[in-house]
Amino acid sequence: MTQTVQTLVSISNVDKIFKRGSEEIHVLGGLDLEIPQAEFLALMGPSGSGKSTLLNLIGGLDRPSQGSVAVGGERIDELSDRRLAAWRARHVGLVFQFYNLMPMLSAQKNVELPLLLTHLSRSERKKRAAIALEIVGLSHRTDHFPRTLSGGEQQRVGIARAIVTDPTLLLCDEPTGDLDRKSGDEILSLLQALNQEQGKTIVMVTHDIHAAARASRTLYLNKGQLSTEAEE
Amino acid sequence: MAGAFNWFSQIASITAVNLRSLPQRKGSSVTAVFGIAGVVAVMVSVLSIAQGILQTMDNSASADNVVVLRSGANTEMMSGLVGDDTRIIAEGPGLARNAAGAIASAELFVIINLLKKATGTDANVPLRGVESAAFEVRDKFNIIEGRMFEWGLNEVIVGVGAKMEFEGLELGSTIPVAQEEWPVVGIFEAGGGLSETEIWVDAAVLQPAYRRGNSYQSVIAKLESPESFEQFKDALTSDPRLNVKAMRESEYYESQSAMLYNTITGIGTFIAVIMGFGAIFGALNTMYTAVSSRAREIATLRALGFHSGPVIISIMAESLLLALAGGVLGAVAAWWVFDGFRAATLNMTSFSQVAFAFDVSLSLLTRGILFAMVIGFIGGLFPAVRAARQPVASALREL
Ligand SMILES: Nc1ncnc2c1ncn2[C@@H]1O[C@H](COP(=O)(O)OP(=O)(O)OP(=O)(O)O)[C@@H](O)[C@H]1O
Ligand SMILES: [Mg+2]
């Protein structure tokens, strides 16, 4: 049996224009992108080139000014705000540069948060959160609060929170940007494992060429367009 | 799809997350709570004054009592009746009777000057001349200290309210009446009614002291039953010998207190509304601070897929909770300090002092707390809507 590689994310002819007062900022122009299922894609490019903007469009956190964004065959740019929020909860795991954990919740409770949007029972939520924390290697830190964890550990909690709902798509915006080399490497290994062993499709924005090397493909964003080569 | 349960659990969990972070926002939260408490305390206390006056008037009135004044007079002060009038009035139909005849007391009313204890300033105190039927008309009358005055002697008895309010009304002291000193021989209560603010003496003694001849100002009488009022009134008004009007005692007191009640309620509401605006800005400020200090958390929750509805509701819940705390605190403070607190104010129609107790009633407390909730609602609404309306992507950028 031959396995056909399916396209998970399909972006075509997307423009993104921000308005700041009377000024218009053209960030993305006529951008096309296909991301196959189970790919680990790294996005690079200069600061302000629109990497986060593109990631937000893929994750349904923002809408294109023009063009279409389809994920798993669904036109997410056409969903209402409410349905888009529900769609995000079901299909996307987000990992942030500064972790964005709830400071007053324990690691366990932070990881359980996205499960509050499901119909799972309290005990089932606990169980799944525990599994997610085990996957990221933090079983021994479940009752710790974010401020008592190191940056690397906090980011692991962030990843556990992103995978706890078992989403198809993991979107990471500079996940190692705030970490030292060693912790960053551990996080990258974790993402790699999630990609290779569990088949998660990952899009990772990074400024770090070493980090990008862990991905299966790297694209560069410049002047609103994607290319396979970094521009000089 | 997510159902109602889901919504509810979202609200509950976001609210719990918000409330858990309350200790980090202690300062501004405490300020808001106390601001609202102050507003509610002032509002409840001021309105309880009006309530207390109403209560005093209510205690004064008896359903089967009738007050007769000269027609055209709105108060006893303005009224005048000659001795013949009072006899004809007492013969009217529908009055309760006993061995001595109709239970009707012809009374007159002068104002004397005494020092007010609280301020040490001059105040007008009513001195009322009564007939023996007076004690049957006011069935809650009761001597609690000393004795009743002797008919025909220059002796007075003093209401408990007046004794508490003014200097020199203790048992055994004397009061200045028309260049003489009259001894206080007894202290009485009258069911919390207006009479407790007065000094009483034999009408026949008071008339010559003030050169009133055989004239009175009012007749207060007891009816056979509340229903016989119309009959009595019709007989009096159609009698060509008389030029008088008859009112139920409750009506009379209502007309006496309406202006005072309305003025105080008006002032109270005005103060509460002005202070309320201040408290709304305090609450708004607190909630804006609360929202901006949690901007990262709120944006993250929304990015994770939480709806903006629960976000709004949870911010509102926090604001309402703070307001509720403030409202209860203010109401309890007002109740604790002022309920039953005795005070006197000028009755604007008779220009004499009315002593009354602040009446912090349950309905007033409820109104105060509701007012606090309105403040909390407005204070939470704008920050909540703003937080929920901001696009998720730009909310995340602003962190
Ligand atoms: N919500 C917004 N409103 C206005 N301008 C925006 C908004 N979001 C992004 N921009 C602008 O769009 C451009 C691209 O921003 P973006 O955050 O996508 O860049 P980036 O490649 O992620 O940069 P960095 O590497 O610094 O994170 C910037 O000029 C930014 O100021
Ligand atoms: Mg960025």
Side-chain angles (χ1 to χ4, degrees), chain A residues 16-20 25-28 45-56 62 97 173-174 205 207 221, chain B residues 391 393-395 397:
Chain A
K16 183 63 187 178
I17 301 163
F18 288 111
K19 287 199 179 66
R20 199 180 285 153
I25 308 162
H26 293 254
V27 179
L28 305 177
S47 189
S49 57
K51 303 179 296 293
S52 298
T53 302
L54 178 56
L55 206 65
N56 285 345
D62 205 352
Q97 179 176 359
D173 199 343
E174 304 187 37
V205 169
H207 281 288
L221 188 57
Chain B
S394 51
R397 283 184 72 82

PDB file of all heavy atoms in Angstrom, chain A residues 16-20 25-28 45-56 62 97 173-174 205 207 221, chain B residues 391 393-395 397, ligand 1:
ATOM      1  N   LYS A  16      -2.011  40.365   3.577  1.00  0.00           N
ATOM      2  CA  LYS A  16      -2.354  40.843   4.922  1.00  0.00           C
ATOM      3  C   LYS A  16      -1.893  42.281   5.047  1.00  0.00           C
ATOM      4  O   LYS A  16      -0.707  42.597   4.903  1.00  0.00           O
ATOM      5  CB  LYS A  16      -1.695  39.973   6.005  1.00  0.00           C
ATOM      6  CG  LYS A  16      -2.084  40.379   7.422  1.00  0.00           C
ATOM      7  CD  LYS A  16      -3.575  40.205   7.701  1.00  0.00           C
ATOM      8  CE  LYS A  16      -3.942  40.784   9.061  1.00  0.00           C
ATOM      9  NZ  LYS A  16      -5.406  40.659   9.321  1.00  0.00           N
ATOM     10  N   ILE A  17      -2.853  43.136   5.265  1.00  0.00           N
ATOM     11  CA  ILE A  17      -2.575  44.566   5.389  1.00  0.00           C
ATOM     12  C   ILE A  17      -3.040  45.034   6.762  1.00  0.00           C
ATOM     13  O   ILE A  17      -4.176  44.783   7.156  1.00  0.00           O
ATOM     14  CB  ILE A  17      -3.331  45.363   4.301  1.00  0.00           C
ATOM     15  CG1 ILE A  17      -2.905  44.870   2.914  1.00  0.00           C
ATOM     16  CG2 ILE A  17      -3.073  46.863   4.437  1.00  0.00           C
ATOM     17  CD1 ILE A  17      -3.861  45.274   1.801  1.00  0.00           C
ATOM     18  N   PHE A  18      -2.152  45.664   7.510  1.00  0.00           N
ATOM     19  CA  PHE A  18      -2.557  46.267   8.787  1.00  0.00           C
ATOM     20  C   PHE A  18      -2.744  47.752   8.587  1.00  0.00           C
ATOM     21  O   PHE A  18      -2.013  48.383   7.834  1.00  0.00           O
ATOM     22  CB  PHE A  18      -1.484  46.041   9.854  1.00  0.00           C
ATOM     23  CG  PHE A  18      -1.399  44.624  10.331  1.00  0.00           C
ATOM     24  CD1 PHE A  18      -0.303  43.832  10.023  1.00  0.00           C
ATOM     25  CD2 PHE A  18      -2.422  44.073  11.089  1.00  0.00           C
ATOM     26  CE1 PHE A  18      -0.221  42.523  10.462  1.00  0.00           C
ATOM     27  CE2 PHE A  18      -2.345  42.760  11.534  1.00  0.00           C
ATOM     28  CZ  PHE A  18      -1.252  41.981  11.219  1.00  0.00           C
ATOM     29  N   LYS A  19      -3.728  48.292   9.275  1.00  0.00           N
ATOM     30  CA  LYS A  19      -3.916  49.743   9.240  1.00  0.00           C
ATOM     31  C   LYS A  19      -3.469  50.327  10.566  1.00  0.00           C
ATOM     32  O   LYS A  19      -3.899  49.878  11.633  1.00  0.00           O
ATOM     33  CB  LYS A  19      -5.396  50.067   9.005  1.00  0.00           C
ATOM     34  CG  LYS A  19      -5.848  49.797   7.595  1.00  0.00           C
ATOM     35  CD  LYS A  19      -7.156  50.551   7.291  1.00  0.00           C
ATOM     36  CE  LYS A  19      -7.612  50.318   5.860  1.00  0.00           C
ATOM     37  NZ  LYS A  19      -7.995  48.893   5.596  1.00  0.00           N
ATOM     38  N   ARG A  20      -2.590  51.282  10.495  1.00  0.00           N
ATOM     39  CA  ARG A  20      -2.190  51.963  11.725  1.00  0.00           C
ATOM     40  C   ARG A  20      -2.473  53.436  11.508  1.00  0.00           C
ATOM     41  O   ARG A  20      -1.719  54.139  10.860  1.00  0.00           O
ATOM     42  CB  ARG A  20      -0.706  51.711  11.998  1.00  0.00           C
ATOM     43  CG  ARG A  20      -0.297  51.985  13.448  1.00  0.00           C
ATOM     44  CD  ARG A  20       1.183  51.709  13.656  1.00  0.00           C
ATOM     45  NE  ARG A  20       1.499  50.292  13.716  1.00  0.00           N
ATOM     46  CZ  ARG A  20       2.694  49.776  13.374  1.00  0.00           C
ATOM     47  NH1 ARG A  20       3.646  50.565  12.922  1.00  0.00           N
ATOM     48  NH2 ARG A  20       2.930  48.492  13.471  1.00  0.00           N
ATOM     49  N   ILE A  25       0.053  49.058   6.311  1.00  0.00           N
ATOM     50  CA  ILE A  25       1.285  48.270   6.288  1.00  0.00           C
ATOM     51  C   ILE A  25       1.004  46.969   5.541  1.00  0.00           C
ATOM     52  O   ILE A  25       0.226  46.134   6.008  1.00  0.00           O
ATOM     53  CB  ILE A  25       1.753  47.949   7.714  1.00  0.00           C
ATOM     54  CG1 ILE A  25       1.833  49.245   8.541  1.00  0.00           C
ATOM     55  CG2 ILE A  25       3.102  47.253   7.691  1.00  0.00           C
ATOM     56  CD1 ILE A  25       1.866  48.999  10.019  1.00  0.00           C
ATOM     57  N   HIS A  26       1.626  46.796   4.386  1.00  0.00           N
ATOM     58  CA  HIS A  26       1.445  45.563   3.616  1.00  0.00           C
ATOM     59  C   HIS A  26       2.460  44.552   4.113  1.00  0.00           C
ATOM     60  O   HIS A  26       3.649  44.671   3.849  1.00  0.00           O
ATOM     61  CB  HIS A  26       1.653  45.840   2.121  1.00  0.00           C
ATOM     62  CG  HIS A  26       0.582  46.725   1.557  1.00  0.00           C
ATOM     63  ND1 HIS A  26      -0.417  46.245   0.740  1.00  0.00           N
ATOM     64  CD2 HIS A  26       0.336  48.046   1.716  1.00  0.00           C
ATOM     65  CE1 HIS A  26      -1.223  47.244   0.413  1.00  0.00           C
ATOM     66  NE2 HIS A  26      -0.787  48.343   1.004  1.00  0.00           N
ATOM     67  N   VAL A  27       1.983  43.565   4.869  1.00  0.00           N
ATOM     68  CA  VAL A  27       2.908  42.603   5.474  1.00  0.00           C
ATOM     69  C   VAL A  27       3.071  41.372   4.578  1.00  0.00           C
ATOM     70  O   VAL A  27       4.183  40.948   4.279  1.00  0.00           O
ATOM     71  CB  VAL A  27       2.435  42.196   6.881  1.00  0.00           C
ATOM     72  CG1 VAL A  27       3.385  41.181   7.489  1.00  0.00           C
ATOM     73  CG2 VAL A  27       2.362  43.428   7.780  1.00  0.00           C
ATOM     74  N   LEU A  28       1.967  40.816   4.148  1.00  0.00           N
ATOM     75  CA  LEU A  28       2.025  39.664   3.245  1.00  0.00           C
ATOM     76  C   LEU A  28       1.348  40.056   1.933  1.00  0.00           C
ATOM     77  O   LEU A  28       0.309  40.709   1.936  1.00  0.00           O
ATOM     78  CB  LEU A  28       1.301  38.456   3.852  1.00  0.00           C
ATOM     79  CG  LEU A  28       1.758  38.010   5.249  1.00  0.00           C
ATOM     80  CD1 LEU A  28       0.891  36.853   5.748  1.00  0.00           C
ATOM     81  CD2 LEU A  28       3.226  37.612   5.244  1.00  0.00           C
ATOM     82  N   GLY A  45      13.192  34.550   8.880  1.00  0.00           N
ATOM     83  CA  GLY A  45      13.059  35.835   8.197  1.00  0.00           C
ATOM     84  C   GLY A  45      13.375  36.959   9.145  1.00  0.00           C
ATOM     85  O   GLY A  45      13.370  36.761  10.366  1.00  0.00           O
ATOM     86  N   PRO A  46      13.678  38.126   8.589  1.00  0.00           N
ATOM     87  CA  PRO A  46      14.035  39.244   9.451  1.00  0.00           C
ATOM     88  C   PRO A  46      12.891  39.664  10.368  1.00  0.00           C
ATOM     89  O   PRO A  46      11.738  39.341  10.114  1.00  0.00           O
ATOM     90  CB  PRO A  46      14.363  40.369   8.469  1.00  0.00           C
ATOM     91  CG  PRO A  46      14.079  39.871   7.112  1.00  0.00           C
ATOM     92  CD  PRO A  46      13.667  38.451   7.171  1.00  0.00           C
ATOM     93  N   SER A  47      13.258  40.372  11.380  1.00  0.00           N
ATOM     94  CA  SER A  47      12.253  40.867  12.316  1.00  0.00           C
ATOM     95  C   SER A  47      11.282  41.802  11.584  1.00  0.00           C
ATOM     96  O   SER A  47      11.705  42.632  10.778  1.00  0.00           O
ATOM     97  CB  SER A  47      12.945  41.614  13.453  1.00  0.00           C
ATOM     98  OG  SER A  47      12.013  41.913  14.441  1.00  0.00           O
ATOM     99  N   GLY A  48      10.018  41.607  11.846  1.00  0.00           N
ATOM    100  CA  GLY A  48       9.013  42.458  11.207  1.00  0.00           C
ATOM    101  C   GLY A  48       8.625  41.991   9.816  1.00  0.00           C
ATOM    102  O   GLY A  48       7.835  42.647   9.136  1.00  0.00           O
ATOM    103  N   SER A  49       9.153  40.832   9.390  1.00  0.00           N
ATOM    104  CA  SER A  49       8.844  40.354   8.042  1.00  0.00           C
ATOM    105  C   SER A  49       7.448  39.717   7.969  1.00  0.00           C
ATOM    106  O   SER A  49       6.942  39.480   6.879  1.00  0.00           O
ATOM    107  CB  SER A  49       9.902  39.359   7.580  1.00  0.00           C
ATOM    108  OG  SER A  49       9.979  38.280   8.506  1.00  0.00           O
ATOM    109  N   GLY A  50       6.857  39.416   9.104  1.00  0.00           N
ATOM    110  CA  GLY A  50       5.488  38.887   9.098  1.00  0.00           C
ATOM    111  C   GLY A  50       5.385  37.418   9.453  1.00  0.00           C
ATOM    112  O   GLY A  50       4.362  36.787   9.189  1.00  0.00           O
ATOM    113  N   LYS A  51       6.413  36.883  10.115  1.00  0.00           N
ATOM    114  CA  LYS A  51       6.381  35.460  10.490  1.00  0.00           C
ATOM    115  C   LYS A  51       5.240  35.167  11.468  1.00  0.00           C
ATOM    116  O   LYS A  51       4.464  34.224  11.270  1.00  0.00           O
ATOM    117  CB  LYS A  51       7.717  35.052  11.133  1.00  0.00           C
ATOM    118  CG  LYS A  51       8.931  35.297  10.264  1.00  0.00           C
ATOM    119  CD  LYS A  51      10.228  34.908  10.951  1.00  0.00           C
ATOM    120  CE  LYS A  51      10.552  35.717  12.198  1.00  0.00           C
ATOM    121  NZ  LYS A  51      10.842  37.144  11.917  1.00  0.00           N
ATOM    122  N   SER A  52       5.152  35.991  12.499  1.00  0.00           N
ATOM    123  CA  SER A  52       4.075  35.779  13.477  1.00  0.00           C
ATOM    124  C   SER A  52       2.713  35.976  12.820  1.00  0.00           C
ATOM    125  O   SER A  52       1.752  35.258  13.120  1.00  0.00           O
ATOM    126  CB  SER A  52       4.220  36.752  14.647  1.00  0.00           C
ATOM    127  OG  SER A  52       5.434  36.521  15.322  1.00  0.00           O
ATOM    128  N   THR A  53       2.656  36.957  11.950  1.00  0.00           N
ATOM    129  CA  THR A  53       1.400  37.216  11.245  1.00  0.00           C
ATOM    130  C   THR A  53       0.958  35.985  10.451  1.00  0.00           C
ATOM    131  O   THR A  53      -0.208  35.577  10.512  1.00  0.00           O
ATOM    132  CB  THR A  53       1.588  38.418  10.298  1.00  0.00           C
ATOM    133  OG1 THR A  53       1.998  39.552  11.067  1.00  0.00           O
ATOM    134  CG2 THR A  53       0.311  38.738   9.557  1.00  0.00           C
ATOM    135  N   LEU A  54       1.901  35.374   9.748  1.00  0.00           N
ATOM    136  CA  LEU A  54       1.574  34.176   8.972  1.00  0.00           C
ATOM    137  C   LEU A  54       1.131  33.034   9.890  1.00  0.00           C
ATOM    138  O   LEU A  54       0.159  32.326   9.610  1.00  0.00           O
ATOM    139  CB  LEU A  54       2.799  33.762   8.142  1.00  0.00           C
ATOM    140  CG  LEU A  54       2.660  32.501   7.290  1.00  0.00           C
ATOM    141  CD1 LEU A  54       1.466  32.604   6.336  1.00  0.00           C
ATOM    142  CD2 LEU A  54       3.951  32.251   6.484  1.00  0.00           C
ATOM    143  N   LEU A  55       1.861  32.867  10.992  1.00  0.00           N
ATOM    144  CA  LEU A  55       1.513  31.807  11.944  1.00  0.00           C
ATOM    145  C   LEU A  55       0.093  32.021  12.492  1.00  0.00           C
ATOM    146  O   LEU A  55      -0.680  31.066  12.637  1.00  0.00           O
ATOM    147  CB  LEU A  55       2.527  31.816  13.092  1.00  0.00           C
ATOM    148  CG  LEU A  55       2.726  30.498  13.833  1.00  0.00           C
ATOM    149  CD1 LEU A  55       3.328  29.453  12.908  1.00  0.00           C
ATOM    150  CD2 LEU A  55       3.631  30.703  15.048  1.00  0.00           C
ATOM    151  N   ASN A  56      -0.244  33.297  12.780  1.00  0.00           N
ATOM    152  CA  ASN A  56      -1.587  33.617  13.277  1.00  0.00           C
ATOM    153  C   ASN A  56      -2.662  33.265  12.257  1.00  0.00           C
ATOM    154  O   ASN A  56      -3.756  32.822  12.624  1.00  0.00           O
ATOM    155  CB  ASN A  56      -1.687  35.106  13.619  1.00  0.00           C
ATOM    156  CG  ASN A  56      -0.965  35.439  14.917  1.00  0.00           C
ATOM    157  OD1 ASN A  56      -0.640  34.539  15.695  1.00  0.00           O
ATOM    158  ND2 ASN A  56      -0.698  36.717  15.134  1.00  0.00           N
ATOM    159  N   ASP A  62      -6.094  35.105  13.365  1.00  0.00           N
ATOM    160  CA  ASP A  62      -6.283  36.329  12.591  1.00  0.00           C
ATOM    161  C   ASP A  62      -6.791  35.916  11.209  1.00  0.00           C
ATOM    162  O   ASP A  62      -6.750  34.737  10.855  1.00  0.00           O
ATOM    163  CB  ASP A  62      -4.948  37.086  12.484  1.00  0.00           C
ATOM    164  CG  ASP A  62      -5.160  38.586  12.264  1.00  0.00           C
ATOM    165  OD1 ASP A  62      -6.328  38.995  12.040  1.00  0.00           O
ATOM    166  OD2 ASP A  62      -4.171  39.336  12.314  1.00  0.00           O
ATOM    167  N   GLN A  97       6.514  32.185  22.840  1.00  0.00           N
ATOM    168  CA  GLN A  97       7.901  32.461  23.222  1.00  0.00           C
ATOM    169  C   GLN A  97       8.042  32.625  24.740  1.00  0.00           C
ATOM    170  O   GLN A  97       8.975  32.126  25.344  1.00  0.00           O
ATOM    171  CB  GLN A  97       8.389  33.739  22.526  1.00  0.00           C
ATOM    172  CG  GLN A  97       9.825  34.096  22.900  1.00  0.00           C
ATOM    173  CD  GLN A  97      10.323  35.314  22.128  1.00  0.00           C
ATOM    174  OE1 GLN A  97       9.609  35.885  21.305  1.00  0.00           O
ATOM    175  NE2 GLN A  97      11.554  35.704  22.378  1.00  0.00           N
ATOM    176  N   ASP A 173       5.727  29.891  18.141  1.00  0.00           N
ATOM    177  CA  ASP A 173       6.340  31.169  17.772  1.00  0.00           C
ATOM    178  C   ASP A 173       7.581  31.392  18.632  1.00  0.00           C
ATOM    179  O   ASP A 173       7.461  31.736  19.809  1.00  0.00           O
ATOM    180  CB  ASP A 173       5.333  32.307  17.956  1.00  0.00           C
ATOM    181  CG  ASP A 173       5.735  33.548  17.159  1.00  0.00           C
ATOM    182  OD1 ASP A 173       6.910  33.632  16.739  1.00  0.00           O
ATOM    183  OD2 ASP A 173       4.865  34.420  16.955  1.00  0.00           O
ATOM    184  N   GLU A 174       8.748  31.173  18.038  1.00  0.00           N
ATOM    185  CA  GLU A 174      10.026  31.301  18.743  1.00  0.00           C
ATOM    186  C   GLU A 174      10.023  30.563  20.080  1.00  0.00           C
ATOM    187  O   GLU A 174      10.260  31.177  21.123  1.00  0.00           O
ATOM    188  CB  GLU A 174      10.375  32.782  18.934  1.00  0.00           C
ATOM    189  CG  GLU A 174      10.398  33.538  17.613  1.00  0.00           C
ATOM    190  CD  GLU A 174      10.906  34.960  17.757  1.00  0.00           C
ATOM    191  OE1 GLU A 174      11.829  35.170  18.555  1.00  0.00           O
ATOM    192  OE2 GLU A 174      10.383  35.850  17.057  1.00  0.00           O
ATOM    193  N   VAL A 205       8.300  29.178  14.150  1.00  0.00           N
ATOM    194  CA  VAL A 205       8.992  30.412  13.782  1.00  0.00           C
ATOM    195  C   VAL A 205      10.262  30.493  14.611  1.00  0.00           C
ATOM    196  O   VAL A 205      10.229  30.228  15.817  1.00  0.00           O
ATOM    197  CB  VAL A 205       8.103  31.644  14.061  1.00  0.00           C
ATOM    198  CG1 VAL A 205       8.925  32.924  13.941  1.00  0.00           C
ATOM    199  CG2 VAL A 205       6.920  31.668  13.124  1.00  0.00           C
ATOM    200  N   HIS A 207      14.488  32.447  14.900  1.00  0.00           N
ATOM    201  CA  HIS A 207      15.571  33.279  14.380  1.00  0.00           C
ATOM    202  C   HIS A 207      16.867  32.484  14.353  1.00  0.00           C
ATOM    203  O   HIS A 207      17.893  32.972  13.902  1.00  0.00           O
ATOM    204  CB  HIS A 207      15.761  34.510  15.284  1.00  0.00           C
ATOM    205  CG  HIS A 207      14.762  35.583  15.042  1.00  0.00           C
ATOM    206  ND1 HIS A 207      14.797  36.361  13.914  1.00  0.00           N
ATOM    207  CD2 HIS A 207      13.688  36.000  15.759  1.00  0.00           C
ATOM    208  CE1 HIS A 207      13.783  37.215  13.962  1.00  0.00           C
ATOM    209  NE2 HIS A 207      13.092  37.012  15.068  1.00  0.00           N
ATOM    210  N   LEU A 221      10.809  34.115   4.981  1.00  0.00           N
ATOM    211  CA  LEU A 221       9.806  35.117   4.648  1.00  0.00           C
ATOM    212  C   LEU A 221      10.516  36.440   4.440  1.00  0.00           C
ATOM    213  O   LEU A 221      11.316  36.867   5.278  1.00  0.00           O
ATOM    214  CB  LEU A 221       8.791  35.239   5.791  1.00  0.00           C
ATOM    215  CG  LEU A 221       7.556  36.092   5.559  1.00  0.00           C
ATOM    216  CD1 LEU A 221       6.768  35.601   4.352  1.00  0.00           C
ATOM    217  CD2 LEU A 221       6.656  36.051   6.796  1.00  0.00           C
TER     218      LEU A 221
ATOM    219  N   PRO B 391      -9.217  42.191  18.932  1.00  0.00           N
ATOM    220  CA  PRO B 391      -8.871  40.986  18.184  1.00  0.00           C
ATOM    221  C   PRO B 391      -7.782  40.198  18.913  1.00  0.00           C
ATOM    222  O   PRO B 391      -6.880  40.793  19.513  1.00  0.00           O
ATOM    223  CB  PRO B 391      -8.343  41.537  16.856  1.00  0.00           C
ATOM    224  CG  PRO B 391      -8.907  42.908  16.738  1.00  0.00           C
ATOM    225  CD  PRO B 391      -9.066  43.413  18.130  1.00  0.00           C
ATOM    226  N   ALA B 393      -5.280  38.425  17.928  1.00  0.00           N
ATOM    227  CA  ALA B 393      -3.902  38.589  17.461  1.00  0.00           C
ATOM    228  C   ALA B 393      -3.283  39.859  18.020  1.00  0.00           C
ATOM    229  O   ALA B 393      -2.141  39.846  18.490  1.00  0.00           O
ATOM    230  CB  ALA B 393      -3.857  38.598  15.937  1.00  0.00           C
ATOM    231  N   SER B 394      -4.031  40.955  18.013  1.00  0.00           N
ATOM    232  CA  SER B 394      -3.427  42.186  18.518  1.00  0.00           C
ATOM    233  C   SER B 394      -3.347  42.167  20.033  1.00  0.00           C
ATOM    234  O   SER B 394      -2.439  42.758  20.616  1.00  0.00           O
ATOM    235  CB  SER B 394      -4.150  43.429  17.988  1.00  0.00           C
ATOM    236  OG  SER B 394      -5.518  43.341  18.196  1.00  0.00           O
ATOM    237  N   ALA B 395      -4.283  41.474  20.701  1.00  0.00           N
ATOM    238  CA  ALA B 395      -4.195  41.341  22.151  1.00  0.00           C
ATOM    239  C   ALA B 395      -2.917  40.593  22.530  1.00  0.00           C
ATOM    240  O   ALA B 395      -2.237  40.962  23.487  1.00  0.00           O
ATOM    241  CB  ALA B 395      -5.417  40.606  22.692  1.00  0.00           C
ATOM    242  N   ARG B 397      -0.141  40.506  20.816  1.00  0.00           N
ATOM    243  CA  ARG B 397       1.028  41.336  20.501  1.00  0.00           C
ATOM    244  C   ARG B 397       1.349  42.311  21.621  1.00  0.00           C
ATOM    245  O   ARG B 397       2.492  42.671  21.819  1.00  0.00           O
ATOM    246  CB  ARG B 397       0.762  42.170  19.243  1.00  0.00           C
ATOM    247  CG  ARG B 397       0.850  41.436  17.970  1.00  0.00           C
ATOM    248  CD  ARG B 397       0.658  42.407  16.832  1.00  0.00           C
ATOM    249  NE  ARG B 397       1.814  43.271  16.676  1.00  0.00           N
ATOM    250  CZ  ARG B 397       2.912  42.903  16.030  1.00  0.00           C
ATOM    251  NH1 ARG B 397       2.987  41.703  15.496  1.00  0.00           N
ATOM    252  NH2 ARG B 397       3.914  43.728  15.908  1.00  0.00           N
TER     253      ARG B 397
HETATM  254  N1  LIG C   1      -2.178  43.865  14.891  1.00  0.00           N
HETATM  255  C1  LIG C   1      -1.296  44.621  14.235  1.00  0.00           C
HETATM  256  N2  LIG C   1      -1.566  45.913  14.001  1.00  0.00           N
HETATM  257  C2  LIG C   1      -0.702  46.687  13.333  1.00  0.00           C
HETATM  258  N3  LIG C   1       0.448  46.243  12.840  1.00  0.00           N
HETATM  259  C3  LIG C   1       0.780  44.967  13.009  1.00  0.00           C
HETATM  260  C4  LIG C   1      -0.085  44.090  13.720  1.00  0.00           C
HETATM  261  N4  LIG C   1       0.486  42.867  13.743  1.00  0.00           N
HETATM  262  C5  LIG C   1       1.649  42.996  13.075  1.00  0.00           C
HETATM  263  N5  LIG C   1       1.829  44.238  12.639  1.00  0.00           N
HETATM  264  C6  LIG C   1       2.981  44.716  11.848  1.00  0.00           C
HETATM  265  O1  LIG C   1       3.213  43.789  10.839  1.00  0.00           O
HETATM  266  C7  LIG C   1       4.607  43.602  10.677  1.00  0.00           C
HETATM  267  C8  LIG C   1       4.955  42.131  10.846  1.00  0.00           C
HETATM  268  O2  LIG C   1       4.794  41.786  12.199  1.00  0.00           O
HETATM  269  P1  LIG C   1       5.115  40.323  12.741  1.00  0.00           P
HETATM  270  O3  LIG C   1       4.888  40.331  14.183  1.00  0.00           O
HETATM  271  O4  LIG C   1       4.347  39.338  11.946  1.00  0.00           O
HETATM  272  O5  LIG C   1       6.654  40.201  12.417  1.00  0.00           O
HETATM  273  P2  LIG C   1       7.658  39.045  12.825  1.00  0.00           P
HETATM  274  O6  LIG C   1       8.269  38.568  11.572  1.00  0.00           O
HETATM  275  O7  LIG C   1       6.972  38.045  13.667  1.00  0.00           O
HETATM  276  O8  LIG C   1       8.711  39.852  13.665  1.00  0.00           O
HETATM  277  P3  LIG C   1       9.583  39.355  14.929  1.00  0.00           P
HETATM  278  O9  LIG C   1      10.669  38.512  14.372  1.00  0.00           O
HETATM  279  O10 LIG C   1      10.118  40.622  15.496  1.00  0.00           O
HETATM  280  O11 LIG C   1       8.663  38.635  15.835  1.00  0.00           O
HETATM  281  C9  LIG C   1       5.305  44.505  11.654  1.00  0.00           C
HETATM  282  O12 LIG C   1       5.671  45.684  11.000  1.00  0.00           O
HETATM  283  C10 LIG C   1       4.246  44.771  12.674  1.00  0.00           C
HETATM  284  O13 LIG C   1       4.434  46.031  13.242  1.00  0.00           O
END
